[in-house]
Amino acid sequence: MLCLGVETSCDETALALVRDGALVDAVLASQVDIHALFGGVVPELASREHYRFVGALYDTLMARTKLSLDDVDVVAVTRGPGLLGALLVGVGFAKGLALGGNKPLVGVNHLHAHLLVAGLERPLRFPALGLLVSGGHTHIYAIHSPVKLELLGKTLDDAAGEACDKFAKMLDLPYPGGALLDRLSQGGVVDPAMFPRPYTRNENLDFSFSGLKTAALVHLRSRPELLRAGRQLGVTGRVEEAPQALRDVAASYLFAVADTLRIKLQRALGTSSTPYTSLVVAGGVAANSTVRAVMADFATASGLTLHLPALRLCTDNAIMIAYAGWLQAEAGQGHGLDLATIPRGRAIPDDESPLASWCGARPLAV
Ligand code: KG4
Ligand code: ZN
């Protein structure tokens, strides 16, 4: 079964083809340079850029693979969560393909896709404990099967990625600062006591990183030389010239983020009777070297098989959408042309229907 995946939830326009669970090819156009000019994603610009690129990317993918819509068995698309205008571009495009080619349509939950794509590299064993750490989300899941994911805990304010990006912003590093902060932390010496583990003195599995941000702000205000060094790094981009003290602060901050994630995962294991066999860590922040190292230690200590997707599968991409769409289609689930897009902050409904071509869409009473 050949599944085409379309992703336009934030600032990457991406398409990919997955056949029987294996990657065929993928294309991606990032808007990150445009949004960096504004210090964050501008929703209106994101929609415009998706609209500009999605058709051309589709042509490129099909030309490169020498495939056509006739060869595609199912069209999968991110239906949410994300920026509403941005999502609508991808969903509109995917509905057009499904309608024009008489293909079944599958609406994919972007967050589930982040976690499930680990299975493309190495078969996932269930039940798995899942940690999704991205720019907008910090979620813990019990993954019972490819189509049954149970949300156990979530962030109450900033996501782990935002906590990284905002710390980078305090240092005047360009947006999004997470990856640069990661590079800066290389060679830094972690002081585990420099920053707190926010919102861990409770019984739940939720996250709140605002306390960590405040602690970082207070710390940096007391060390103006670090702010000056950060500002210089923001201008030159030359991480190799950063002073050791700045590296140490970056390393300690990232360790506090990673260790907070570890504490809640440990609690999820300790308070559940679910016989987890593996741990999946996914999303943009799973690309972070400190997070990867802390999770590797945690998985070993807990006897779990660790699934950490390759870096290009951690950040937003359409491979994960095509793969998750293929899994859903294999399970016989799809959507009609009435598929709704779900913006960030709203729960994605379980509204799958049996997989069918567009003719199977539920007719609207008009
Ligand atoms: O999953 P993703 O690509 O997009 C969302 O769905 O949000 O995650 C983007 C987030 C950003 O906050 C970015 O700074 C962060 O992932 N990120 C990193 C690294 N690479 C990306 N954060 C820390 N270290 C990295 N290496
Ligand atoms: Zn994402």
Side-chain angles (χ1 to χ4, degrees):
M1 184 193 293
L2 182 67
C3 180
L4 170 72
V6 181
E7 157 65 34
T8 65
S9 67
C10 190
D11 57 352
E12 326 274 3
T13 319
L15 287 102
L17 287 163
V18 161
R19 178 180 278 126
D20 299 331
L23 175 64
V24 177
D25 202 356
V27 286
L28 182 144
S30 177
Q31 309 169 5
V32 76
D33 291 347
I34 296 170
H35 299 293
L37 298 173
F38 300 91
V41 178
V42 182
E44 202 74 348
L45 283 183
S47 313
R48 192 188 71 185
E49 293 298 293
H50 288 310
Y51 194 67
R52 200 152 75 95
F53 282 113
V54 71
L57 281 175
Y58 173 79
D59 284 345
T60 305
L61 181 64
M62 291 310 188
R64 218 158 72 180
T65 54
K66 300 191 172 48
L67 293 167
S68 75
L69 187 55
D70 285 346
D71 302 304
V72 172
D73 297 302
V74 57
V75 179
V77 61
T78 303
R79 57 148 350 166
L83 302 168
L84 187 59
L87 288 166
L88 285 170
V89 176
V91 171
F93 187 76
K95 284 184 178 179
L97 290 177
L99 181 60
N102 197 19
K103 307 290 177 184
L105 180 70
V106 178
V108 174
N109 180 327
H110 178 93
L111 308 180
H112 294 184
H114 265 302
L115 290 160
L116 293 169
V117 75
L120 184 138
E121 298 179 311
R122 201 154 46 104
L124 281 182
R125 283 169 57 226
F126 303 100
L129 184 61
L131 173 69
L132 170 68
V133 271
S134 69
H137 299 86
T138 310
H139 283 186
I140 296 180
Y141 288 92
I143 311 174
H144 300 288
S145 81
V147 290
K148 189 164 177 240
L149 288 87
E150 181 191 354
L151 183 62
L152 302 177
K154 62 181 191 312
T155 183
L156 305 176
D157 45 41
D158 285 350
E162 270 170 306
C164 293
D165 293 342
K166 287 182 179 169
F167 181 67
K169 199 169 183 171
M170 287 178 210
L171 288 169
D172 260 342
L173 304 183
Y175 171 88
L180 186 56
L181 199 60
D182 192 1
R183 282 174 53 215
L184 178 62
S185 72
Q186 310 292 320
V189 180
V190 172
D191 173 356
M194 191 182 287
F195 296 112
R197 308 291 176 267
Y199 200 65
T200 49
R201 288 190 195 157
N202 51 44
E203 300 292 308
N204 64 48
L205 300 180
D206 293 330
F207 297 94
S208 164
F209 285 102
S210 55
L212 179 59
K213 258 178 6 193
T214 309
L217 196 60
V218 170
H219 185 87
L220 290 179
R221 281 196 181 139
S222 71
R223 303 279 309 270
E225 76 282 8
L226 294 180
L227 288 173
R228 276 196 298 278
R231 207 163 300 134
Q232 193 169 353
L233 171 61
V235 174
T236 65
R238 285 203 287 272
V239 175
E240 61 284 1
E241 291 173 4
Q244 184 64 37
L246 190 61
R247 291 174 193 278
D248 295 349
V249 155
S252 303
Y253 185 86
L254 289 174
F255 183 74
V257 171
D259 201 38
T260 303
L261 299 171
R262 197 243 341 133
I263 289 169
K264 293 281 171 149
L265 285 176
Q266 193 135 30
R267 187 171 299 163
L269 275 189
T271 56
S272 164
S273 55
T274 306
Y276 294 109
T277 56
S278 49
L279 171 68
V280 182
V281 184
V285 183
N288 182 268
S289 32
T290 307
V291 170
R292 293 176 91 84
V294 167
M295 290 303 143
D297 287 348
F298 168 66
T300 306
S302 311
L304 299 173
T305 306
L306 179 63
H307 292 266
L308 271 171
L311 298 192
R312 82 157 173 159
L313 295 180
C314 284
T315 47
D316 282 352
N317 65 85
I319 301 168
M320 64 186 199
I321 305 305
Y323 184 71
W326 170 77
L327 287 171
Q328 270 175 257
E330 282 282 298
Q333 296 185 352
H335 292 91
L337 284 185
D338 54 355
L339 171 72
T341 42
I342 312 292
R344 190 177 153 186
R346 269 183 45 206
I348 304 223
D350 288 325
D351 57 359
E352 292 79 15
S353 45
L355 190 72
S357 69
W358 70 273
C359 324
R362 288 181 292 271
L364 284 183
V366 284

